[in-house]
Amino acid sequence: MSTASAIQRQQTIEELQSKEYDLLVIGGGITGCGIALDAIARGLSVALVEMQDYAAGTSSRSTKLVHGGLRYLKQFEIKEVAELGKERAIVYENGPHVTTPVWMLLPFHTGGTFGKFSTNVGLRVYDFLAGVKRSERRYMLNAAKTMEKEPLVKAEELRGGGVYVEYRTDDARLTVEVAKAAIEKGATLINYTKAENFLYNDEKKINGIVAQDLIAQNAFNIRAKKVVNAAGPWVDDVRTIEGKQNGKHLILSKGVHIVFDEFKFPLRQAVYFDTPDGRMVFAIPRNGKTYVGTTDTFYEGDAREMNIHQEDRDYIMKAIHYMFPKVKVTDEDIESSWAGVRPLIHEEGKNPSEISRKDEVWESPSGLVTIAGGKLTGYRKMAETVLNKIAQDLEQRFSISSKPCHTKNIRISGGDVGGSENLDAFVSKRTKMGVDIGLSEEEAKHLAHHYGSNVDTVFEYAKEQHPVLPQGLYAQLLYGIHHEMVVHPNDFMIRRTAYMFFNIALVIQYKGAVLDEMAKQLNWSPEQRTQFEKDLNLEITRATTAL
């Protein structure tokens, strides 16, 4: 039986070895998890391996927006805008607890990227293409009203602003909730398991992998009729397991974001704004913090070893001081930061901002299906494209029929709150339940929104007491280990809670107690605990220090 418990990891490994799957997915980012959910919903048997943690690559280090694709209007990618806009609404409805509509201000100044006419027309076209509902359609402001909306915006040569809706998300939690939805429907997923080699049948077609459990350091085989490479930044690494690859290849673009306390950067309105070099950057308030990003530079090196350099910070600081001259933040005011890469399909002669974010699917002679490129917002359609291709092959080669895609109407884990319109009422009711078991109103509300319809299970853990950890944090940790495959403290601090980015003081205060409890729950050896502590401290250093 499929499980999302880290305690039952060995059981999951035994299950992976016990049968031949219809489909094996390599990669546990949003693309791979989306493919697993689509496949299991179609009636196929599905396995997935991820060499790090779910969302550990690109899918936890984005600008944390489910974009409607406004920036693509500049590149005249009309189809992209139309599709992403519609997908954004579906992502929101299927998981309203991890996605929130926010009004975004786009100020325009004399000589800037957007003018009054282009902003008005662009946002109007965007609303039409993206199928934006009436209550969320754009409206225009004069300069005075723009300053009223966000007093920190540069007043000099300000001509006005456009206001439109973007959807803020927790990218890692979105990925984990999709993964859990796949598991709940019967898929078998495992993290910290690397595809080391391929298995082949007599016709030299891939029919599985040799997998390496990176926790226990054991190798085992997983058999599957079809294998999909959805490894994000590591797509080319997986392809080279087969040998030298020709044709299309990835190029990585590095993006950095920095975080301030709202006391230092009291932004009250999300803003999408020009930088001095003509790029566009976001500044977004979130739970008492303001984060700003992103940079966009080519990156060569191991995407697992992403450090933030002083020039990354300097670029964003320059952008802040340019658009928000009243904000006097310095490097000392940066609380935390994150860096990640976007895997783009190489286009000769283009800089990172110009390269298309479109996804592409291709298949090798030995049958490995690879998907590359794409965006967080379009994960469901990307999965549909891949599965349509695979379903046809399974039908022809193995006489295995499957249902058509119907993920449009499948709630992700935690999303059973009665629809987006009922979310506030759901959170209000669960907040009262949390208060009744001793949580503060603020903490209970946070947990209800964070976990959605799974919060009742979190509250059960909250009834237990820990000698050091606060009630809510202890409940989150136990839930993460038993229901969200938390193996490593970084899984918990970065991807299940986002505390590393948005409450790093809490991470530093309670890291010892979290390590102790995880060591107890997961039966770590002293050597394992030492290594995990070292890894956690490294991530704290990366989040707080520029090189």
Side-chain angles (χ1 to χ4, degrees):
M1 182 64 189
S2 300
T3 175
S5 170
I7 303 290
Q8 296 176 322
R9 180 179 175 83
Q10 186 55 39
Q11 177 186 321
T12 300
I13 290 172
E14 289 169 6
E15 183 175 338
L16 287 166
Q17 299 175 77
S18 68
K19 63 182 180 182
E20 181 185 46
Y21 290 87
D22 295 329
L23 178 65
L24 169 63
V25 183
I26 299 171
I30 189 62
T31 304
C33 291
I35 291 168
L37 177 57
D38 191 340
I40 197 72
R42 293 184 189 220
L44 301 174
S45 59
V46 185
L48 180 148
V49 296
E50 161 57 47
M51 71 172 177
Q52 300 181 93
D53 181 36
Y54 307 101
T58 304
S59 298
S60 63
R61 297 178 178 273
S62 71
T63 307
K64 305 187 186 301
L65 292 172
V66 178
H67 282 296
L70 176 63
R71 68 186 292 270
Y72 300 122
L73 279 181
K74 287 175 66 179
Q75 299 167 348
F76 299 102
E77 295 184 17
I78 303 302
K79 183 175 180 290
E80 196 84 352
V81 175
E83 187 168 279
L84 286 175
K86 293 178 176 67
E87 280 303 303
R88 183 180 67 170
I90 295 169
V91 172
Y92 174 47
E93 199 57 47
N94 286 338
H97 64 303
V98 290
T99 307
T100 306
V102 293
W103 287 102
M104 185 74 65
L105 174 65
L106 199 163
F108 46 88
H109 294 77
T110 301
T113 302
F114 289 95
K116 181 176 181 180
F117 177 76
S118 61
T119 301
N120 191 5
V121 172
L123 291 178
R124 186 186 292 271
V125 171
Y126 173 76
D127 281 350
F128 172 74
L129 291 173
V132 175
K133 55 189 175 185
R134 188 177 297 275
S135 63
E136 295 182 356
R137 289 178 188 167
R138 68 94 185 91
Y139 59 93
M140 303 299 292
L141 302 172
N142 60 26
K145 288 292 184 182
T146 300
M147 291 300 298
E148 192 177 303
K149 192 83 171 166
E150 182 44 74
L152 297 178
V153 165
K154 180 175 69 169
E156 184 181 354
E157 296 187 310
L158 177 66
R159 299 188 60 203
V163 183
Y164 70 103
V165 166
E166 282 282 19
Y167 283 44
R168 193 183 69 203
T169 191
D170 184 326
D171 49 5
R173 282 219 61 82
L174 174 62
T175 303
V176 169
E177 298 291 34
V178 172
K180 285 160 59 186
I183 292 170
E184 288 160 11
K185 290 185 177 298
T188 307
L189 280 66
I190 191 167
N191 50 2
Y192 296 99
T193 301
K194 185 179 181 181
E196 292 279 13
N197 217 328
F198 290 119
L199 302 172
Y200 297 86
N201 63 16
D202 294 340
E203 300 169 355
K204 296 185 179 178
K205 294 288 187 181
I206 291 174
N207 67 348
I209 64 168
V210 178
Q212 179 77 12
D213 174 8
L214 299 179
I215 301 298
Q217 296 299 325
N218 295 322
F220 60 96
N221 293 345
I222 307 174
R223 298 279 179 182
K225 294 179 178 68
K226 292 293 295 184
V227 177
V228 174
N229 172 15
W234 298 276
V235 152
D236 285 346
D237 292 350
V238 173
R239 293 171 70 207
T240 55
I241 297 173
E242 287 194 88
K244 190 175 185 299
Q245 295 296 317
N246 298 315
K248 294 173 184 172
H249 65 92
L250 292 188
I251 189 162
L252 303 182
S253 165
K254 179 182 178 182
V256 171
H257 298 77
I258 57 178
V259 183
F260 304 90
D261 188 87
E262 65 179 356
F263 178 76
K264 296 288 187 179
F265 192 163
L267 192 73
R268 65 190 194 193
Q269 164 69 54
V271 182
Y272 186 35
F273 65 96
D274 277 308
T275 60
D277 64 359
R279 286 191 65 249
M280 301 290 290
V281 164
F282 289 97
I284 301 171
R286 171 175 164 161
N287 300 336
K289 310 292 179 184
T290 295
Y291 69 95
V292 186
T294 180
T295 60
D296 203 356
T297 54
F298 286 131
Y299 176 78
E300 293 181 6
D302 190 341
R304 287 171 291 186
E305 306 293 331
M306 292 293 294
N307 291 311
I308 293 165
H309 295 91
Q310 190 58 46
E311 55 262 38
D312 299 321
R313 284 186 168 190
D314 290 346
Y315 179 89
I316 299 175
M317 279 294 195
K318 185 178 179 182
I320 292 168
H321 295 145
Y322 171 76
M323 185 52 63
F324 306 103
K326 298 172 194 169
V327 177
K328 305 300 182 184
V329 289
T330 66
D331 279 9
E332 285 67 39
D333 297 315
I334 299 172
E335 284 196 355
S336 63
S337 51
W338 69 87
V341 293
R342 308 169 196 88
L344 309 175
I345 298 168
H346 177 70
E347 294 181 50
E348 198 64 48
K350 290 191 175 182
N351 67 44
S353 296
E354 294 171 330
I355 294 177
S356 172
R357 267 55 171 175
K358 288 179 181 176
D359 55 278
E360 292 195 38
V361 181
W362 62 92
E363 185 167 357
S364 73
S366 60
L368 178 66
V369 176
T370 293
I371 180 161
K375 288 184 64 63
L376 183 76
T377 312
Y379 84 87
R380 195 192 67 82
K381 291 298 288 184
M382 291 163 66
E384 182 179 358
T385 300
V386 171
L387 263 299
N388 286 347
K389 179 180 181 64
I390 288 170
Q392 190 175 24
D393 198 27
L394 287 172
E395 176 81 49
Q396 291 172 354
R397 288 181 57 206
F398 302 100
S399 298
I400 295 173
S401 59
S402 59
K403 303 171 190 172
C405 176
H406 61 280
T407 51
K408 184 177 180 179
N409 300 309
I410 292 178
R411 301 283 185 263
I412 62 175
S413 188
D416 292 318
V417 297
S420 60
E421 292 184 357
N422 191 54
L423 178 65
D424 289 344
F426 172 88
V427 169
S428 178
K429 184 177 179 181
R430 291 309 191 277
T431 299
K432 291 174 185 174
M433 290 171 59
V435 170
D436 288 343
I437 60 171
L439 294 167
S440 70
E441 183 174 348
E442 181 183 7
E443 190 167 33
K445 184 176 181 179
H446 167 71
L447 293 178
H449 214 296
H450 197 73
Y451 294 99
S453 54
N454 292 319
V455 74
D456 293 355
T457 307
V458 181
F459 284 166
E460 285 300 311
Y461 287 115
K463 293 175 183 177
E464 301 179 29
Q465 297 295 319
H466 188 274
V468 179
L469 293 172
Q471 186 181 9
L473 184 62
Y474 182 47
Q476 286 186 280
L477 180 59
L478 291 182
Y479 181 79
I481 293 169
H482 290 272
H483 299 275
E484 292 192 335
M485 303 159 283
V486 166
V487 172
H488 194 295
N490 288 335
D491 303 342
F492 180 67
M493 294 298 198
I494 298 174
R495 291 171 289 275
R496 304 304 184 277
T497 64
Y499 289 145
M500 185 72 75
F501 302 146
F502 298 107
N503 195 349
I504 199 161
L506 179 145
V507 174
I508 294 169
Q509 181 178 357
Y510 291 110
K511 65 179 182 178
V514 166
L515 283 159
D516 288 341
E517 185 60 33
M518 289 190 70
K520 175 181 151 190
Q521 291 280 334
L522 296 168
N523 197 27
W524 290 346
S525 67
E527 293 77 17
Q528 282 178 309
R529 190 198 183 285
T530 298
Q531 185 59 52
F532 286 139
E533 183 172 15
K534 183 180 176 182
D535 294 342
L536 177 59
N537 286 334
L538 175 61
E539 288 300 332
I540 292 171
T541 300
R542 281 190 175 134
T544 55
T545 308
L547 299 178

